[in-house]
Amino acid sequence: MFKFANLNDNAMPWYVLLTKPKSEKKVESRLLQLDVNAYCPTRIERRQWSDRVKKVETPLLPSMILVNLEDKERDIVFEVPGALRYLFWMGKPAQVSEQEIDVLKEMSENQANIISVEQLKEGSEIDITNLGSEVKKGVVKKISGNQCWVVLKNLGYVVKIKI
């Protein structure tokens, strides 16, 4: 699950905002227009239509975006159509640490070659490299062909990675 970040007094926390399905990027854009620091991590997927194949940018966290604002300003996001509610964990709004945001940004930018393949087995812990200076840990949930689902413990989310 999402880990509550140990934040400095002067650092604003990142909150998880739930959105209507398929409106993540629109909500992010509208929040940025309101001068709210919002982030919607994306990935590039190839989609097949009957007459063509197209690369499409899709959200990495479906129906979720991350917003960076002070606790007293949290209600401003509801001025934007498509913003539903905050994600709560143990009765408090879920917060994501700055390091986890950096991991998501790095994963969005480096679409390929983000893990080193070593005898992958379900349940085994792996190091995810190329995500900043420090090595990140993840647990292999499922392997199917050339794809691997990895649980990022601190983020509390499953990420699909091509291997």
Side-chain angles (χ1 to χ4, degrees), residues 98-109:
E98 192 69 40
Q99 293 83 11
E100 292 164 334
I101 298 297
D102 293 340
V103 169
L104 287 171
K105 286 180 180 178
E106 193 72 31
M107 288 177 74
S108 287
E109 292 170 6

Side-chain angles (χ1 to χ4, degrees), residues 36-50:
V36 173
N37 190 5
Y39 177 57
C40 178
T42 58
R43 66 175 177 240
I44 304 296
E45 288 185 354
R46 298 183 83 174
R47 296 279 174 96
Q48 175 74 45
W49 279 268
S50 60

